[in-house]
Amino acid sequence: MLKKPCGTFDETYAQDMSVIRTPYRGGLLILLFLFLFVITPLIADNYALGVMNLIGISVIAMMGLNILTGYCGQISIGHVAFIAVGAYTSSILSQHLGWPFWATFPSAILVSGLMGMVIGLPTLRIKGFYIAISTLAFHYIIVWAILHGGDLTKGVWGLPCEFPELFGISFNTEKKMYYLIMILAVIGTVLAFNLVRSKFGRGFVAVRDNDIAAEFMGLNIFRLKSIAFIICAMYAGAAGSLYAHYLGMITVEQFPLIDSIWYLGFLIVGGLGSISGAIFGVVFYRLIAQIVLFAAPMISEALPFLSVSGVAGFTQMLFGLVIILFLVLEPRGAIHRWQLTLTSFRLWPFPY
Amino acid sequence: MEKTSQTELLQLKSLNLSFGGVSALNQIDLSIYEGELLALIGPNGAGKTCLLNCINGFYKPDTGQIKYKGRDITSVPLRNRAHLGIARVFQGIQLYEGLSTLDNLLAGAHFFIDYNILSAFLYVGKAKREEIRQRRKVEEIIDFLEIEHVRKKRVGELPYGLQKRIDLGRAMAMSPDLLLLDEPMAGMNLEEKEDMARFILDIHEEWGTTIVLVEHDMGVVMDVADRLVVFDFGQKIAEGTPDEISKNPKVIGAYLGVEV
Ligand SMILES: Nc1ncnc2c1ncn2[C@@H]1O[C@H](COP(=O)(O)OP(=O)(O)O)[C@@H](O)[C@H]1O
Ligand SMILES: [Mg+2]
């Protein structure tokens, strides 16, 4: 969270707790709003909008992982599986039952949340590394279920999914989807922001930083962990649902295990346990992929001895490299570095 | 200093606790009276921390009974004892280091803050009212402990002495009836020790909180305690006022002779 510049004092606690505590913050929010809802739709072409749409969906997914891993300290490598649950729930309801988006979307959130509750249950007994392994097992269970789902999931062939339709508007273009995705991403972010500054957010960090002390203080560790698991899964479900309705077609290959690892990696890159860090991580993640996409043809032209698949592997390699660099140089994430810069700037010219 | 009542807040009856043959607590009988500041002293490994852990419910005694406010709480789990008003400051630092000072204290008051997850997501109405109400209470503690200047700092970045004070603040935020302090002054310099002793005395006098203080520094203990209990090898070897204890030959042999 941003600190106030020196010399600014708060009149009341309500004021101190409000989001827009300084003109700087208010200005930043207005700029962000203008960028998202005025400038981008005006100047971006379909390609750029497509990138933004993927970023928006990933932001929603990342909000959930940040609550579970960043705040509550429970490592999940099953995040993509929860996204798949949301995507398949939506597609199945849309395809087989003809449900509209306004019904499939909350259903996907609900189903994913229920799975999160079940997967979170073993956390009563196990900790840390073992939870990570149980979420890994969950990933393979979901993949197996999709492949063997018969007519319901159409196995390897994948399922089509209708474009969202709300209030008589069909969201059948990149630009229309862009508005829908960004509005939902903003709502998801605001909700997450509220949650983490509430007693639940403090409880999550208490569990993460010192679960024994937390129990001495009367916190219900198991309940807090379960809540974090459920919320994380619900965010993933929402992201999955949007993803399916946006793409119009989903297959099991769109949910590879490695993406769960990248989500975790870029959460660390952005800054664990920070909302803006999580957003930064996602943007970074998607932008690197784009840069490689542009650079790949040039690289294979310049270095013809590299095969096409070798160049394609660059993305993954670069992801790995970026994560390692951050782990070594700034393990607390880019957002921490940014705040340090900001703090020194605000105290200028009197850095006491 | 005669504000100590004769009502027992906590009664320990023949507590026994052992770890694989090593007896950490041996037939402990002890009463703690409402409003008193009881000091628990004894050499390292005497079983002081174990006793506090039994009172907190972190350890379950092998045999014996714990009565709190007249009720048998021997099998009440750790978490629920916090709700009954038993708070703890640990030996060493056990804060939530990723949270700010303010949030550490608010996390101490966690179970007083009453709103559900839906209002937390929206952060309006009840959630906001409850947060402001608790904030007011916690700010009083922050003023009291003179930690205003680090209110919004991550506690992990603060010096040891301040962290210890925040640890005390977090326990105070639980509005305890019984405050268990495990060597709160260990590792501090003289000035920090004096500050801490002053805070403990002030809590005792202004809030009327019953306090059990485990401490090595005999000088401090003799000054602040209403009553002392001396432990050695898991046994209670003496009990009495500071005056009585300092004259007790058993204590001088077991403890004072070595330490002072
Ligand atoms: N969890 C444990 N497992 C095994 N032995 C323990 C444990 N906790 C304490 N002990 C032993 O119990 C005895 C009393 O320890 P403790 O209460 O920590 O002493 P102190 O009076 O210094 O606080 C020591 O011999 C210690 O080694
Ligand atoms: Mg001890």
Side-chain angles (χ1 to χ4, degrees):
Chain A
M1 206 164 293
L2 297 173
K3 293 174 200 97
K4 300 191 77 165
C6 57
T8 322
F9 294 103
D10 296 299
E11 312 272 285
T12 68
Y13 298 137
Q15 216 171 318
D16 184 46
M17 281 151 59
S18 81
V19 183
I20 309 162
R21 297 203 324 267
T22 60
Y24 163 81
R25 277 190 136 194
L28 205 67
L29 282 178
I30 291 171
L31 272 182
L32 193 70
F33 182 84
L34 285 177
F35 170 77
L36 282 181
F37 295 107
V38 180
I39 299 168
T40 306
L42 267 179
I43 61 165
D45 59 2
N46 265 348
Y47 185 83
L49 282 174
V51 175
M52 288 297 284
N53 283 339
L54 277 184
I55 290 178
I57 293 171
S58 310
V59 162
I60 297 175
M62 193 66 112
M63 285 300 135
L65 190 66
N66 190 27
I67 285 167
L68 180 67
T69 303
Y71 283 89
C72 201
Q74 311 300 305
I75 292 175
S76 164
I77 36 186
H79 203 51
V80 164
F82 286 109
I83 297 175
V85 168
Y88 270 89
T89 305
S90 276
S91 300
I92 288 167
L93 293 175
S94 151
Q95 207 52 32
H96 295 302
L97 301 177
W99 285 20
F101 176 72
W102 61 260
T104 61
F105 183 68
S107 306
I109 294 175
L110 215 67
V111 171
S112 203
L114 279 174
M115 297 235 178
M117 191 166 79
V118 175
I119 296 306
L121 275 180
T123 57
L124 178 63
R125 317 234 84 216
I126 59 179
K127 273 181 139 180
F129 181 67
Y130 296 97
I131 290 181
I133 296 301
S134 79
T135 58
L136 176 70
F138 174 68
H139 180 93
Y140 283 107
I141 293 171
I142 291 301
V143 169
W144 184 89
I146 292 170
L147 287 175
H148 296 82
D151 223 28
L152 203 62
T153 61
K154 296 246 167 43
V156 288
W157 305 108
L159 260 185
C161 187
E162 299 294 324
F163 288 120
E165 213 181 289
L166 285 173
F167 318 110
I169 307 164
S170 174
F171 291 80
N172 52 7
T173 66
E174 284 285 1
K175 191 173 263 179
K176 285 180 187 163
M177 268 318 278
Y178 174 81
Y179 285 113
L180 180 65
I181 289 171
M182 281 307 153
I183 287 170
L184 289 173
V186 167
I187 291 174
T189 305
V190 170
L191 293 180
F193 176 79
N194 283 337
L195 184 74
V196 300
R197 65 188 175 132
S198 76
K199 66 177 265 199
F200 294 94
R202 288 191 297 267
F204 294 151
V205 178
V207 170
R208 178 193 76 191
D209 285 354
N210 200 328
D211 54 348
I212 294 179
E215 199 153 4
F216 271 88
M217 306 287 140
L219 272 67
N220 190 336
I221 311 295
F222 175 60
R223 188 151 166 272
L224 283 164
K225 279 191 199 172
S226 297
I227 291 173
F229 256 101
I230 294 169
I231 290 169
C232 173
M234 288 171 97
Y235 270 96
S241 172
L242 265 181
Y243 194 48
H245 284 286
Y246 165 65
L247 291 179
M249 174 81 198
I250 51 164
T251 65
V252 74
E253 291 113 72
Q254 278 157 338
F255 306 100
L257 181 66
I258 188 70
D259 282 5
S260 290
I261 310 286
W262 295 140
Y263 267 111
L264 270 180
F266 281 89
L267 183 58
I268 295 170
V269 167
L272 284 165
S274 148
I275 299 283
S276 31
I279 296 173
F280 180 85
V282 167
V283 173
F284 211 47
Y285 173 32
R286 292 297 177 192
L287 287 187
I288 290 179
Q290 288 309 311
I291 290 167
V292 173
L293 220 57
F294 276 113
M298 289 182 246
I299 293 169
S300 48
E301 231 170 83
L303 309 165
F305 51 87
L306 283 175
S307 66
V308 177
S309 66
V311 176
F314 268 1
T315 318
Q316 311 279 320
M317 250 171 56
L318 206 61
F319 281 172
L321 213 65
V322 166
I323 291 170
I324 290 171
L325 269 177
F326 267 89
L327 283 177
V328 173
L329 297 177
E330 188 51 80
R332 286 169 65 185
I335 205 69
H336 178 66
R337 170 83 7 191
W338 170 244
Q339 277 166 0
L340 287 183
T341 319
L342 220 58
T343 310
S344 54
F345 166 73
R346 276 224 219 77
L347 293 175
W348 188 87
F350 307 112
Y352 47 84
Chain B
M1 284 276 265
E2 270 320 300
K3 46 199 265 354
T4 305
S5 73
Q6 285 309 303
T7 326
E8 284 160 323
L9 181 64
L10 190 86
Q11 280 172 285
L12 308 174
K13 289 189 188 151
S14 25
L15 286 197
N16 281 293
L17 178 71
S18 56
F19 295 99
V22 181
S23 171
L25 294 175
N26 194 348
Q27 286 296 115
I28 303 297
D29 283 293
L30 180 64
S31 288
I32 297 165
Y33 297 96
E34 255 171 38
E36 78 171 331
L37 200 168
L38 177 77
L40 195 59
I41 61 171
N44 258 329
K48 306 178 297 289
T49 301
C50 282
L51 188 81
L52 297 191
N53 280 340
C54 284
I55 300 174
N56 269 124
F58 186 61
Y59 291 158
K60 193 175 184 305
D62 302 333
T63 59
Q65 196 192 33
I66 303 172
K67 271 178 109 176
Y68 175 72
K69 296 182 182 171
R71 178 185 154 201
D72 183 356
I73 59 159
T74 318
S75 45
V76 171
L78 175 61
R79 169 162 60 84
N80 298 1
R81 290 198 203 181
H83 301 193
L84 294 175
I86 304 177
R88 169 78 169 266
V89 171
F90 301 92
Q91 202 169 342
I93 301 283
Q94 301 288 343
L95 288 171
Y96 310 130
E97 57 173 56
L99 291 179
S100 65
T101 301
L102 188 60
D103 282 339
N104 264 279
L105 266 60
L106 283 168
H110 188 91
F111 61 86
F112 291 111
I113 309 181
D114 174 34
Y115 57 84
N116 63 26
I117 188 110
L118 278 180
S119 42
F121 270 122
L122 301 174
Y123 215 80
V124 290
K126 192 164 189 198
K128 197 154 200 177
R129 277 200 307 278
E130 281 285 298
E131 287 290 328
I132 292 174
R133 186 172 68 85
Q134 289 303 326
R135 174 77 187 267
R136 217 166 265 140
K137 178 177 130 189
V138 160
E139 286 287 349
E140 270 175 36
I141 299 171
I142 288 180
D143 280 350
F144 173 79
L145 293 175
E146 297 158 21
I147 45 179
E148 301 94 335
H149 57 298
V150 293
R151 195 191 265 121
K152 299 216 172 156
K153 288 246 161 66
R154 279 183 77 235
V155 297
E157 294 157 5
L158 299 174
Y160 178 82
L162 270 179
Q163 289 201 26
K164 230 29 237 182
R165 230 189 267 179
I166 295 164
D167 206 344
L168 181 63
R170 182 179 60 175
M172 287 169 73
M174 296 170 69
S175 307
D177 298 319
L178 176 62
L179 183 55
L180 309 173
L181 308 174
D182 198 352
E183 302 198 22
M185 293 168 237
M188 286 185 167
N189 62 34
L190 193 64
E191 196 191 331
E192 286 172 332
K193 270 187 190 175
E194 277 171 359
D195 279 344
M196 190 52 106
R198 178 165 57 85
F199 288 131
I200 293 171
L201 269 179
D202 283 351
I203 294 171
H204 180 51
E205 275 158 19
E206 285 180 33
W207 268 269
T209 313
T210 311
I211 297 177
V212 177
L213 171 68
V214 171
E215 186 48 56
H216 255 88
D217 192 320
M218 287 301 291
V220 174
V221 165
M222 290 295 178
D223 275 353
V224 302
D226 298 326
R227 219 155 56 86
L228 275 86
V229 172
V230 188
F231 269 54
D232 198 20
F233 291 111
Q235 279 177 324
K236 186 176 88 176
I237 60 167
E239 185 175 358
T241 62
D243 231 26
E244 290 163 3
I245 292 295
S246 58
K247 292 187 191 114
N248 188 320
K250 254 178 162 174
V251 179
I252 294 167
Y255 188 60
L256 297 183
V258 198
E259 276 286 312
V260 177

